[in-house]
Amino acid sequence: MLKVNDIHTFYGQIEALKGISLEVQEGEIVTLIGANGAGKSTTLKTISGALAPKHGSIEFEGGIISGMPIHKVTQKGVIQVPEGRRIFARMTVTENLEMGAFLRSDKDGIKDDMDRVFEMFPRLRERAGQKGGTLSGGEQQMLAMARGIMARPKLLMLDEPSMGLAPVIVELIFETIVELNKSGSTILLVEQNAAMALAIADRGYVLETGTIKLTGPGKDLLQNEEVRKAYLGET
């Protein structure tokens, strides 16, 4: 579904990605792990069109998307839920969800998906008329994910969905990711919680200073001694 070929992305003169190559097959959960500054979020931003690579190419469903503006990439079904949630604080929960579907015209389908995300996140149904900025951090993360789902993504990219959340909310977020995947969504996940991310991932990539250091099945990386020492806090 997605093929990233030797991309080099810069912030000014600083090379943030130094030849990243990765693949995501349809129906997979693929996770990117690594320390802060390793290039995980930059990789997602480059795929989504928020950043343009200076070298390399990105293919989605067989067509080149690198260099396309972000709204064109979104129209193709690549949806990013950004780090920090970035919901519309002055809009209600329902209005935020409607914004997720702004490229769609199938009113019945939009209503069905609204019902679906309210079933996934009952707390959002309870707060449907409440402004997004008044929600708790966990509720805002639920809303950010639900807004992404409303776009009916072919590839859903999640950037640090568990950051700063209470453990019980983190469990809910990861359960939702697995449920989405089982219902047919392909997921590319950036996550600081390496243990939980690798436990649910079909495959993982370990990034280090803009390069890929390791790759393999999630369960294998979870048992890798180097990964366990660097990212799981083991000595």
Side-chain angles (χ1 to χ4, degrees), residues 176-190:
T176 303
I177 293 170
V178 171
E179 183 181 336
L180 284 170
N181 179 247
K182 285 180 178 176
S183 68
S185 295
T186 304
I187 312 274
L188 180 56
L189 171 66
V190 161

Side-chain angles (χ1 to χ4, degrees), residues 216-227:
K219 302 289 193 295
D220 291 356
L221 290 175
L222 197 53
Q223 300 304 318
N224 182 284
E225 186 177 349
E226 191 175 352
V227 171

Side-chain angles (χ1 to χ4, degrees), residues 76-224:
K76 290 188 174 294
V78 180
I79 305 298
Q80 181 174 355
V81 177
E83 181 183 353
R85 296 135 203 174
R86 299 191 190 172
I87 59 161
F88 298 105
R90 295 184 181 182
M91 291 185 177
T92 66
V93 166
T94 299
E95 288 168 342
N96 268 272
L97 295 175
E98 288 170 347
M99 285 300 293
F102 80 99
L103 289 175
R104 296 172 56 184
S105 57
D106 55 322
K107 289 185 178 180
D108 290 342
I110 291 170
K111 183 183 182 302
D112 289 344
D113 284 347
M114 187 87 72
D115 291 339
R116 178 187 176 209
V117 297
F118 280 148
E119 285 177 16
M120 283 181 160
F121 302 109
R123 208 172 301 184
L124 294 183
R125 189 192 297 274
E126 295 168 11
R127 288 155 173 69
Q130 194 170 320
K131 290 196 184 328
T134 66
L135 302 178
S136 70
E139 289 163 352
Q140 289 188 13
Q141 184 60 58
M142 294 175 200
L143 180 55
M145 286 184 65
R147 185 180 61 188
I149 295 165
M150 288 298 298
R152 280 209 179 161
K154 295 178 180 178
L155 174 64
L156 182 63
M157 302 195 299
L158 302 169
D159 194 353
E160 303 286 10
S162 77
M163 182 178 284
L165 301 181
V168 65
I169 303 298
V170 173
E171 290 281 354
L172 173 62
I173 294 297
F174 274 86
E175 286 171 7
T176 303
I177 293 170
V178 171
E179 183 181 336
L180 284 170
N181 179 247
K182 285 180 178 176
S183 68
S185 295
T186 304
I187 312 274
L188 180 56
L189 171 66
V190 161
E191 181 53 59
Q192 286 278 9
N193 191 329
M196 291 189 76
L198 292 172
I200 67 168
D202 296 291
R203 292 185 301 109
Y205 292 87
V206 180
L207 273 64
E208 190 173 284
T209 58
T211 61
I212 291 173
K213 188 173 184 183
L214 291 169
T215 184
K219 302 289 193 295
D220 291 356
L221 290 175
L222 197 53
Q223 300 304 318
N224 182 284

